[in-house]
Amino acid sequence: MAREAFMSTMAPRKKDQNIIRRLRLREIVDFKPGISHYFIHRKLYQNVFPNMSVMNIDTPSCFLRKFTPDGRYLIAFSNDQYALIIYEYRGPSAANELLTSLGVNGDCAGNRDDENPKQARLIRSKIFQLFFKLKNVIHLTNNNEQLNRECSLFTEDSRYVIVASAALANEGAHPIYDEVRNNESINLNYRRVLEDYCLHLIDIRSGKQCDSLSYKIDRIMLSHNQGIYLHKDVLAVLSIQHQTIHIYNIVDDPVSGKRFVKRNSIGRFCFEDDEALLSYAIYDPHQPQNRPCNELWINSLKQRLLAHLFRDSKQKTESTGDPRHLAKFYQNFDHYLSLKMWKMQLLDEDHLFIKYAAEEVFTGRTSESLPSFFAVYQISTATIHTVYENTSSKLLWLFENFCDFFRNCHFKSYQHISSPSNNIYARLLHQRCKDVIANARYGGQLEATRRTLSILPISAQSYSPSPYLDLSLFSYDDKWVSAMERPKACGEHPIKFYARDSGYLRFKVHAEMETQNPPHHALRLVVFAFHPFDPFALSFQRTNSEYIVNLHLRHVNQS
């Protein structure tokens, strides 16, 4: 009894949930020290939330992708993946008149068990047209070239979007030195076909293509923006096949609006004039023995990596007097020499964060469990400042305490995404995941560190800024939905969102499987596209070839 009395005194006091009182208090009460006014404003989302789901709505023949950062447009890809489609978003109350006239109540409409099937069909057929108006259809590809519907990057002003397309390369029509362009290129593997890629810069408002970049006979990881990264006006593209990072600036153009300007290519060389200097030493670079793929020396970027590892080992040996540090470098030199760039991201306009891994990881001959390394590279000085192993406790500490720097939250709407470094609840969730790995069979702290750092580098614009996914405002099961925009398992029950300060159930998101008698082996996944700030979201379900779209909105029946 004494313990229960003590716990009752420690229980958090439930704050007033009345929206009128909250608005009044926001006007007359000073903010507490250390609490951002932005957070105070966002707390109103606990009173205004999507309280209705419309299941399996009728949509045009396309694949819906995501909202622009300013929330004004929704981008989609045509069903044949040849065109980019832009829809104008009409606001969260666009369907209120229809739902009110039909007297729709409850938190779910349009499902198969609806008491009024005719009304449910009417809602499903009309609701998408009420919320979205077709603005532009931009045809970008044809024939065998298709747009990747998991790849899109928005500029800081939300006016331009970068999308990518790919087509199988006709490898037999090109000489072998086009497929292996330098001595760091990945060995050819029949399981990893090469492709031709094109990046398209699109003006969302006018619907025109401003510029494009082409990469022939290459391999770039486009899914979830893994191989391309945009930071402000700097674009980085990683060619895995040719082990080169291409850096561009997006600049204003009086004719097209925006265009790409090549800044540098990092790999075989680190500076623009390096090739000119090398040409003085080579009489005829077009001779077979002088081609880059036949070079015997180490390329510029790899040499800088090896030099940093050597200096680090030598410094440790001199400071500790233990020769084993330097001996370890010589022992593992061949492994260091065989490392390849796998992923990268921009930390800012001048620093790259590069992940190196063994070539076997690329070709699929082994798993990702092999040792890998992370390097911080400065573009302007061609300097590698530090290198971390994928079991580094120091890098883990940096990631946990400065997570927002890795996510590059420079968009205004992206600055308040929950992370272990800015949110205590995200921190607890992160720690719980580490503890599960550490306490599992064949686990441990080293394995927990390796698994945690495996998500680095973080893909660009891969987190949703929606306040309904803010862990300081709402509590929900991250097994079914999270701020990271990745496919999740499709549950059998609605996802419940609880107010963080009171513990009250605020709303439910119905994204459960609607398919009748789905096969047991079917992979059931759902992807959410939350609006950046409105009480509105879309969810896309895929079961084999079936594509289902659900809509989640706020509706208050005023009749």
Side-chain angles (χ1 to χ4, degrees), residues 369 391 437-438 441-453:
S369 60
T391 54
I437 298 171
R441 189 178 183 184
Y442 306 115
Q445 291 299 328
L446 201 66
E447 180 64 19
T449 301
R450 181 185 292 111
R451 292 277 295 275
T452 301
L453 296 180

Side-chain angles (χ1 to χ4, degrees), residues 124-248:
R124 288 199 302 264
S125 63
K126 288 189 174 183
I127 197 163
F128 184 85
Q129 301 171 8
L130 294 174
F131 278 104
F132 300 100
K133 177 185 177 182
L134 179 63
K135 182 173 179 63
N136 291 306
V137 179
I138 308 111
H139 294 276
L140 299 172
T141 65
N142 50 39
N143 300 329
N144 296 324
E145 185 178 1
Q146 290 186 319
L147 294 167
N148 188 303
R149 52 193 176 88
E150 294 180 344
C151 178
S152 61
L153 291 174
F154 297 97
T155 56
E156 205 165 19
D157 59 0
S158 300
R159 177 165 181 175
Y160 299 91
V161 62
I162 299 172
V163 295
S165 58
L168 288 177
N170 187 1
E171 300 176 26
H174 300 276
I176 186 64
Y177 50 80
D178 276 349
E179 302 176 12
V180 184
R181 295 178 189 168
N182 58 67
N183 60 359
E184 283 290 320
S185 294
I186 303 296
N187 293 328
L188 298 180
N189 188 313
Y190 70 93
R191 291 181 293 181
R192 300 292 180 183
V193 295
L194 301 181
E195 294 179 299
D196 295 335
Y197 298 90
C198 188
L199 301 184
H200 310 269
L201 179 61
I202 308 298
D203 187 335
I204 296 175
R205 296 180 190 174
S206 64
K208 68 177 182 180
Q209 182 176 359
C210 301
D211 202 357
S212 63
L213 299 170
S214 296
Y215 304 91
K216 302 296 183 181
I217 316 177
D218 212 330
R219 184 185 170 204
I220 301 172
M221 297 173 65
L222 296 179
S223 296
H224 307 299
N225 307 327
Q226 293 183 78
I228 63 176
Y229 204 98
L230 181 65
H231 180 87
K232 296 186 178 179
D233 63 346
V234 180
L235 174 69
V237 181
L238 171 61
S239 165
I240 290 182
Q241 175 60 26
H242 304 300
Q243 289 294 286
T244 303
I245 300 176
H246 305 282
I247 307 295
Y248 303 87

Side-chain angles (χ1 to χ4, degrees), residues 226-284:
Q226 293 183 78
I228 63 176
Y229 204 98
L230 181 65
H231 180 87
K232 296 186 178 179
D233 63 346
V234 180
L235 174 69
V237 181
L238 171 61
S239 165
I240 290 182
Q241 175 60 26
H242 304 300
Q243 289 294 286
T244 303
I245 300 176
H246 305 282
I247 307 295
Y248 303 87
N249 284 103
I250 301 176
V251 300
D252 295 329
D253 186 88
V255 178
S256 61
K258 292 282 187 180
R259 63 186 176 93
F260 297 113
V261 174
K262 185 70 173 289
R263 176 178 164 186
N264 201 0
S265 287
I266 302 165
R268 182 174 176 236
F269 304 113
C270 291
F271 293 108
E272 293 182 3
D273 57 351
D274 284 354
E275 188 171 8
L277 293 173
L278 182 63
S279 64
Y280 288 114
I282 299 177
Y283 177 73
D284 186 359

Side-chain angles (χ1 to χ4, degrees), residues 392-457:
S392 168
S393 59
K394 184 177 180 180
L395 180 58
L396 178 65
W397 182 87
L398 289 171
F399 172 65
E400 291 177 339
N401 292 277
F402 303 95
C403 186
D404 293 338
F405 289 89
F406 290 93
R407 296 186 183 182
N408 268 331
C409 300
H410 58 278
F411 279 110
K412 183 177 180 180
S413 59
Y414 288 175
Q415 292 177 356
H416 299 274
I417 299 174
S418 300
S419 73
S421 59
N422 66 24
N423 187 288
I424 183 61
Y425 304 105
R427 183 84 170 199
L428 292 173
L429 183 64
H430 171 77
Q431 187 62 44
R432 187 184 69 184
C433 293
K434 283 204 311 179
D435 292 341
V436 169
I437 298 171
N439 296 325
R441 189 178 183 184
Y442 306 115
Q445 291 299 328
L446 201 66
E447 180 64 19
T449 301
R450 181 185 292 111
R451 292 277 295 275
T452 301
L453 296 180
S454 65
I455 69 171
L456 296 177

Side-chain angles (χ1 to χ4, degrees), residues 45 48-54 57 64 67 71 73-74 88-96 99 127-132 464 466-469 507 509 528-540 549-555:
Y45 284 104
V48 182
F49 41 79
N51 58 356
M52 176 179 287
S53 298
V54 182
I57 65 173
L64 304 175
F67 289 95
Y73 302 100
L74 174 72
E88 186 176 356
Y89 173 62
R90 292 180 168 180
S93 60
N96 194 58
L99 298 175
I127 197 163
F128 184 85
Q129 301 171 8
L130 294 174
F131 278 104
F132 300 100
S464 171
S466 171
Y468 302 104
L469 300 175
F507 64 97
V509 169
F528 289 90
F530 279 82
H531 191 275
F533 45 82
D534 279 350
F536 187 89
L538 295 163
S539 61
F540 322 120
V549 179
N550 303 324
L551 192 148
H552 315 282
L553 67 148
R554 178 167 181 81
H555 170 62

Side-chain angles (χ1 to χ4, degrees), residues 12-18 22 39 42-50 425 467-477 495-508:
R13 183 179 179 182
K14 294 183 178 180
K15 299 181 180 179
D16 194 342
Q17 303 295 304
N18 185 278
R22 282 191 168 186
F39 173 74
R42 281 169 69 93
K43 289 193 70 174
L44 290 176
Y45 284 104
Q46 293 180 333
N47 295 85
V48 182
F49 41 79
Y425 304 105
Y468 302 104
L469 300 175
D470 188 341
L471 290 172
S472 62
L473 298 178
F474 294 96
S475 171
Y476 51 85
D477 192 344
I495 304 170
K496 298 180 180 180
F497 287 74
Y498 298 88
R500 180 67 73 176
D501 59 357
S502 65
Y504 294 146
L505 174 64
R506 276 315 192 190
F507 64 97
K508 301 177 184 178

